[in-house]
Amino acid sequence: MSKHYKEKALLATTYKIEKVKKQSGYFKSNINKVIILAALFSFLAPFYSNENGKSMKDLLEISYTESVVFAFIVVSSFCLIGHVVWTIQDKSRLKELMKRKKELEEDIKSYDL
């Protein structure tokens, strides 16, 4: 590859790094929205019924309050798992991009010599 294409690849890699940094940490930056949506889901989930017409609180044979707490715990667990998984993916993607950027910078320096 010529120096021109390597410089373009370096620029694209730099933009990708910025994009990953900007988009990482969704749950941290939008914690209010996540909590509000989880609470809304938790209050509405006990009324959702399956094809037999039984709701979640009827299937589990618990009160409405207990089913709201149960739904909130389930949603919170999924959010926590998603946060951990996406954080690990972002870190590994960022590590790969930084490695690629360093390789491209070294290749461009070798053209200057």
Side-chain angles (χ1 to χ4, degrees), residues 13-29:
T13 304
T14 304
Y15 289 143
K16 287 178 185 177
I17 290 171
E18 291 173 9
K19 185 178 176 182
V20 168
K21 285 181 180 178
K22 182 180 164 185
Q23 292 179 346
S24 65
Y26 178 80
F27 286 109
K28 279 186 177 179
S29 62

Side-chain angles (χ1 to χ4, degrees), residues 8-113:
K8 293 281 188 181
L10 178 62
L11 188 62
T13 304
T14 304
Y15 289 143
K16 287 178 185 177
I17 290 171
E18 291 173 9
K19 185 178 176 182
V20 168
K21 285 181 180 178
K22 182 180 164 185
Q23 292 179 346
S24 65
Y26 178 80
F27 286 109
K28 279 186 177 179
S29 62
N30 297 310
I31 191 72
N32 295 336
K33 292 177 187 176
V34 172
I35 290 173
I36 290 170
L37 288 174
L40 285 174
F41 175 79
S42 298
F43 285 114
L44 296 175
F47 296 115
Y48 179 75
S49 59
N50 62 7
E51 61 274 353
N52 297 333
K54 288 196 169 192
S55 65
M56 179 179 79
K57 65 180 189 164
D58 293 337
L59 288 172
L60 297 175
E61 297 177 357
I62 56 178
S63 69
Y64 174 75
T65 308
E66 291 171 336
S67 61
V68 168
V69 171
F70 175 74
F72 190 77
I73 289 171
V74 169
V75 171
S76 299
S77 300
F78 283 131
C79 288
L80 181 66
I81 291 169
H83 173 69
V84 169
V85 168
W86 289 330
T87 301
I88 291 170
Q89 287 177 342
D90 288 341
K91 285 182 181 181
S92 66
R93 177 76 175 143
L94 194 58
K95 188 176 179 181
E96 290 173 11
L97 288 171
M98 295 298 275
K99 181 180 174 185
R100 174 77 174 142
K101 181 180 177 182
K102 189 172 184 172
E103 290 172 358
L104 288 169
E105 287 173 344
E106 290 174 0
D107 288 344
I108 291 172
K109 284 181 185 178
S110 68
Y111 282 114
D112 292 337
L113 297 178

